[in-house]
Amino acid sequence: MTGTRRRVLLGALGLAGLGGVAAFRAVAASRGLAIRTRAGLAFGTTVALTGAGPDPTAIEAALTDGFAAMRSVETAASLFRADSALARLNRDGGLTAPDPHLVALLRFALTLAAETGGAFDPTVQPLWPLWSGAAARGERPDAERLRTTLTRIGWRRVRLESDRILLEPGTALTLNALIQGYAADHVMAALRAHGIADAFVDTGEFGALGAHPDGTPWRLGLADPRDPATLADVIAPFTGFAATSGDYNMRFSDDRADHHIFDPATGHSPGGLSSVTVTAPTGLLADGLSTACMVLGRERGARLVAAHPGCAVRFTDKA
Amino acid sequence: MRGQVFPERAHPSPQPSPARERARVAALKRHCLDLVARGGGSETRAWPLCLALLALLLAILPAQAGQLDRAAIEKNFPPPLVVGEKDAALPIWPILKQQAGAYEVFAYAFESVDLAPIPGFGGTPPDLLIALAPDGTFRDVKVITHREPVFLEGLGSEPLFAFVEQYAGLSAKQAIRVGRPNARAAGAAPQTTVDGISMATASTRVINQSILASALAVARGKLGFGAGNVGLTVRAKPDLYEPLSLPDLLARGWVKRLTVTNADATAAFKGTGTEASGDGPPDAILTDLYVAYLNAPTIGRNLLGQARFDALMRELGPDNHAVMVLSAGPVDAPENPVGERFVLGAVPDRLAIGQGGLIVGARDMAVERRDAGQAEGLPAGNWTILRIDQAAGFDPSAPWALTETIVRERGQILSEKIARTFSVETALPEDLFTRVKPEDGPSWTDPWRARAPELAALAVMLAVLVPVLARQRGLVADQRRFTAFRLAFLAVTLGFVGWYGQAQLSIVTLVGLVRAATATHDFTFLLYDPPSLVLWAFALAALVAWGRGTFCGWLCPFGALQEFVALLGRPLRIRQVTVPPGLDRALRHVKYVLLAGILVAAAVGSPLADSLSEAEPFKTAITLYFVRSWPFVAYAAGLLVLNLFVYKGFCRYLCPLGASLALLGQVRILDWIPRRAECGSPCQLCKVRCRYGAIAPSGRVDYAECFQCMDCVTIIHDPAQCVPQVLARKRQRRTTPRSVVVA
């Protein structure tokens, strides 16, 4: 998957870029704190974990565990890994003794699907090959095939039992809308377990803990969806988790009418919004709500977010 | 030396692969050779020791895998680049670059040995650090370790380092070939050719394979390409021509027509508010395009005419593709994709060629328009000839599509552009084309053509040699002139066949044959060394007639070298050491044991075959001109010194190639050395004069040990030397000499 990754700018690291890493390190060091960043690839995009604390070895150990946490989430539920438990579930239509990560993600997904009346739906996966195949030919999928594909979609076609998952024939799941936020939760937990009090994680979605080691709060810059090089907004101070869904990341048409977020009812991408950013106490919730809001639209989305304490949402309309 | 089969995607596995297994013995093998070299004349005792040592070390050495840790990778990709966490699935380090606060992938760095451990010339896979950009371009290639003898013990590693530097900037999406040295300067395509290194052909091919195969594995895993057309070259058969008219071509579907009418456009733009902007009746034609793949002569030549077709193909260059699009619709229509807004020499904005869902880069060739008469029945209209570079991976033998974009504007002030596309697919029959897979490497005919002069000279040599050897009463009988001939011939064998032509036959070829028979089933490697193959063919034919001696005595460059060394040593008055007959017989068997060891090792896939083959000093003395690390040089020189005391001791006691020829020589049909009743009893002259010990006291000739030096034949035909004849003459010519019996 080579689409431009979501361009939410890291305010904190943006500052580092401005001031020069050295100057920034110096400030941190003067407060007796070391800062370490480790980057890598996960979930089909680049990820980066930053931790600060008095003991560099402890930070390194924490970051190693953070990456391990990400890898274990990938192994459970990444569609970028052909050998993940989710990929096997899609292939076989059923899975016994499923990975706990997969169960947790799916349970959340089905709950959110019920809550949103199916606006959020983890079973939209069959739409993906249909649209990407058509886009590769420079077309849109034909109406007939879209209609038959839609008959295979519906969150009630998934049975999540205590020790197994069953899919009705033709059903396939995607948890891409949740996995990065969920991973942010687990990475953060791994860092906390090492006693890290100040951290900033980018797993594709974002999480922040404590403050920047230079003493200033973490800031999260939000890119303008139509001009990713400029900041449309800045969340400061930023703690907790934030997730953004938008029409610009993986898109099938140049006018951004068709992209990677599908309305499960129509099989097309929802119109109206260009991007949605949700801040929430967990990455999983932020990620799920932001995707649901893209489909629900401004009013119904705002009502959904309002029903969840500690959450806030920002909408950007389609230009 | 030969094509290696490598797994499609080799993951490092706890089980040692055969390649790893081979890798383990590298250091050890060299140690072994050192032993041999130091052993000088006492190799026979060193070998069993080596074998035992090898077996022992094979069992205890750990397997080799990628060797760079994070710190080493960071040294190669310093800040501002960031070395990411190692990939979870493949042994790849993402190299990231910070861009506006987020990270972007700069390259994927990996070690070739983790993904494509292809054994090198010495059996150990080279290890290269490769950085592949997300678009499939090589950012950098560096040598981490290698055990290629030609560099380690000859040229030094610098040429190898320079060799791999050539890959930076090339794309892994295309096949890259190792050309001759200076191939690029000589006009080879710089995107697909790297300059080779003379004397290191085999090693550079292995390095090239390692780079391409490991890059391909990464491309498949990370970049989403690598499955289909990578490196595939599809050429239209240039001599396949059939005169056809345009209607014939259209009927066959070899030329396609894409017609868009007002009605078509209205349907396509339905719901956009611009459906009604076309003028005229529904069936009025907006655009009418003829689409033709020109490289196939049956299409291109018929459409353009012979002269213009030839000129176009010359301009196009090999392996690139040309597609003609002619617009026969209304010239002034805004929809016309080659209308007045068409830019010559540019990538057209309204036409695209696609294949397998991907757009193929195509650019107008800016061919001279004047007098470009579309003579052969093409309709009038503007046209473009689009050039598709070979590197684009376009496969004209698979279906491809031409897509035309029609753009309409909605609104007056802030107008919005709405585009709709119309396509036509062309599917040409596969038999119009030849497909060349990159794994095939260069065609085997190339070296035959390139080395034609050498082959001709070789043929002349053999044509001279055969009658001389066959006519025993001719030149052979004249000792003085025959000796001169022999020395001259051996000089040519050493200088031309050996040092210049690099056609020293070697046991390595037999090892390759055994490996091909047991493992790869690919014997084509023989075709890439024409002079050697010719010599092999001749040596085998001569075996049937005369035995091993024809090759060993006349065509082996190292044999010739020994003969000259012995000749030059003559003023030193070195006395030949007489090997006691019992020991002599025992030593003669050593070469068979060695041969058996090599062939068995090769058959079971053991790298020991390569190590044991180093008992042959040919590579050191002939291939590398003694420019090699000192143990090898000492060994080869030692054999030459030994030769001063024990004439051709190497040939008689050690040479595994000679042993194989001697065994094959059992099929010999001629007992061509004349014998007399007196030979052996009582006369021992020939037996004593034979420097190879190939004549038994009984007078019987041991053809397996005969080097066809013709000394005894000269004697027997010389009434002044052949003792029985001398005696007979002394008996006052009362008895006439008995005729010589030739079987």
Side-chain angles (χ1 to χ4, degrees), chain B residues 702-718:
Chain B
D702 183 357
Y703 283 91
E705 296 294 322
C706 172
F707 280 60
Q708 208 165 357
C709 67
M710 307 305 271
D711 283 357
C712 58
V713 179
T714 305
I715 291 170
I716 214 162
H717 289 302
D718 185 350

Side-chain angles (χ1 to χ4, degrees), chain A residues 32-288:
Chain A
L33 293 177
I35 183 161
R36 293 285 182 277
T37 295
R38 232 187 272 175
L41 298 176
F43 316 113
T45 184
T46 53
V47 296
L49 311 182
T50 301
D55 176 8
T57 353
I59 307 175
E60 291 290 355
L63 295 181
T64 301
D65 272 11
F67 264 94
M70 241 182 315
R71 297 292 181 229
S72 75
V73 173
E74 274 192 301
T75 311
S78 174
L79 288 178
F80 292 91
R81 294 273 301 267
D83 56 351
S84 71
L86 180 59
R88 274 183 287 135
L89 171 62
N90 282 343
R91 204 160 45 233
D92 305 340
L95 193 65
T96 49
D99 188 296
H101 284 312
L102 181 57
V103 173
L105 277 162
L106 191 54
R107 181 163 294 130
F108 178 87
L110 295 177
T111 310
L112 187 61
E115 188 183 349
T116 58
F120 180 93
D121 193 322
T123 63
V124 294
Q125 178 62 13
L127 289 168
W128 173 265
L130 189 65
W131 276 92
S132 61
R137 294 188 299 274
E139 299 163 2
R140 308 177 90 192
D142 74 49
E144 186 49 43
R145 287 193 58 196
L146 197 57
R147 216 169 11 253
T148 52
T149 306
L150 281 178
T151 63
R152 293 158 52 199
I153 288 169
W155 59 276
R156 288 194 172 83
R157 298 168 63 86
V158 185
R159 279 207 359 244
L160 174 59
E161 298 172 356
S162 56
D163 61 342
R164 63 173 183 170
I165 303 170
L166 281 177
L167 304 180
E168 281 184 34
T171 307
L173 296 176
T174 171
L175 296 168
N176 284 359
L178 303 174
I179 192 168
Q180 294 173 329
Y182 179 78
D185 292 339
H186 281 265
V187 169
M188 201 59 100
L191 301 186
R192 273 178 193 271
H194 278 270
I196 302 293
D198 301 307
F200 190 102
V201 310
D202 168 8
T203 57
E205 307 302 352
F206 298 88
L209 182 66
H212 193 278
D214 67 5
T216 61
W218 295 109
R219 294 149 39 97
L220 182 68
L222 304 181
D224 183 336
R226 291 293 173 265
D227 181 11
T230 60
L231 283 179
D233 204 352
V234 177
I235 302 178
F238 171 51
T239 55
F241 294 87
T244 297
S245 295
D247 60 6
Y248 45 89
N249 180 10
M250 270 306 301
R251 58 179 188 251
F252 299 124
S253 65
D254 287 339
D255 61 3
R256 298 187 175 91
D258 307 323
H259 53 84
H260 73 299
I261 296 171
F262 301 111
D263 183 340
T266 65
H268 285 267
S269 298
L273 292 173
S274 174
S275 85
V276 177
T277 300
V278 174
T279 52
T282 71
L284 180 61
L285 188 57
D287 214 354

Side-chain angles (χ1 to χ4, degrees), chain B residues 334-359:
Chain B
E335 288 85 1
N336 184 358
V338 278
E340 59 179 25
R341 288 179 54 199
F342 184 80
V343 183
L344 284 186
V347 175
D349 53 355
R350 306 267 288 278
L351 294 173
I353 291 170
Q355 187 165 51
L358 297 170
I359 297 298

Side-chain angles (χ1 to χ4, degrees), chain A residues 5 7 9-10 13 37-41 46 48 67 71 81 136 138, chain B residues 82 84-86 88 94 96 98 100-105 108 357 421:
Chain A
R5 76 187 235 107
R7 295 289 200 123
L9 302 184
L10 302 190
L13 294 177
T37 295
R38 232 187 272 175
L41 298 176
T46 53
F67 264 94
R71 297 292 181 229
R81 294 273 301 267
Chain B
V82 175
E85 290 291 289
K86 201 168 185 175
L96 307 171
Q98 225 174 15
Y103 287 95
E104 284 182 359
V105 179
Y108 297 94
T421 57

Side-chain angles (χ1 to χ4, degrees), chain B residues 376-687:
Chain B
E376 322 295 319
L378 271 182
N382 294 348
W383 49 268
T384 170
I385 292 177
L386 300 172
R387 178 184 190 277
I388 303 171
D389 194 90
Q390 190 252 341
F394 179 64
D395 176 2
S397 69
W400 54 275
L402 180 99
T403 300
E404 171 194 18
T405 307
I406 293 181
V407 180
R408 288 186 171 175
E409 296 195 359
R410 176 169 60 188
Q412 294 294 317
I413 300 143
L414 285 170
S415 65
E416 183 188 3
K417 284 189 173 145
I418 294 166
R420 289 292 178 264
T421 57
F422 304 85
S423 296
V424 64
E425 188 170 273
T426 304
L428 296 174
E430 277 186 33
D431 53 15
L432 291 181
F433 302 94
T434 49
R435 298 162 68 89
V436 184
K437 275 295 214 180
E439 289 83 353
D440 297 347
S443 160
W444 63 268
T445 54
D446 293 353
W448 288 80
R449 235 174 277 134
R451 304 190 71 172
E454 289 159 50
L455 292 173
L458 198 58
V460 171
M461 274 180 75
L462 301 179
V464 169
L465 181 64
V466 172
V468 168
L469 293 181
R471 290 178 53 240
Q472 299 188 351
R473 289 184 188 282
L475 193 55
V476 176
D478 182 339
Q479 182 158 27
R480 203 178 48 81
R481 284 177 54 212
F482 181 69
T483 304
F485 167 79
R486 177 169 172 80
L487 290 179
F489 194 93
L490 290 179
V492 174
T493 294
L494 177 59
F496 171 73
V497 177
W499 284 329
Y500 177 81
Q502 293 291 313
Q504 163 84 59
L505 300 193
S506 161
I507 192 66
V508 171
T509 310
L510 286 188
V511 170
L513 278 176
V514 171
R515 282 181 176 152
T518 54
T520 65
H521 307 296
D522 178 9
F523 293 90
T524 51
F525 70 93
L526 291 170
L527 294 171
Y528 288 87
D529 189 358
S532 296
L533 191 61
V534 167
L535 272 182
W536 269 108
F538 178 80
L540 291 177
L543 267 185
V544 176
W546 292 325
R548 76 177 274 210
T550 321
F551 171 76
C552 293
W554 292 90
L555 293 165
C556 176
F558 190 74
L561 181 59
Q562 289 180 88
E563 199 145 336
F564 284 118
V565 168
L567 197 66
L568 296 172
R570 205 173 281 173
L572 301 175
R573 298 184 182 278
I574 294 169
R575 279 189 52 198
Q576 288 278 310
V577 176
T578 312
V579 183
L583 180 60
D584 179 62
R585 270 194 302 280
L587 286 176
R588 284 181 194 186
H589 290 128
V590 170
K591 61 177 179 281
Y592 296 106
V593 175
L594 187 53
L595 174 70
I598 291 172
L599 295 184
V600 168
V604 302
S606 163
L608 204 55
D610 299 307
S611 319
L612 291 176
S613 297
E614 288 286 358
E616 251 183 15
F618 302 166
K619 189 155 94 189
T620 309
I622 306 299
T623 312
L624 294 170
Y625 316 106
F626 291 99
V627 184
R628 207 176 176 188
S629 68
W630 71 264
F632 291 98
V633 175
Y635 172 64
L639 289 178
L640 292 175
V641 172
L642 172 74
N643 166 61
L644 291 173
F645 299 93
V646 182
Y647 184 65
K648 294 203 178 172
F650 168 75
C651 305
R652 288 158 57 202
Y653 300 145
L654 259 186
C655 180
L657 177 66
S660 64
L661 293 176
L663 286 177
L664 294 171
Q666 299 302 317
V667 302
R668 173 186 45 88
I669 49 178
L670 297 179
D671 284 334
W672 52 272
I673 296 178
R675 296 283 76 190
R676 307 174 65 97
E678 296 88 344
C679 290
S681 162
C683 181
Q684 295 287 319
L685 178 65
C686 292
K687 188 238 160 215

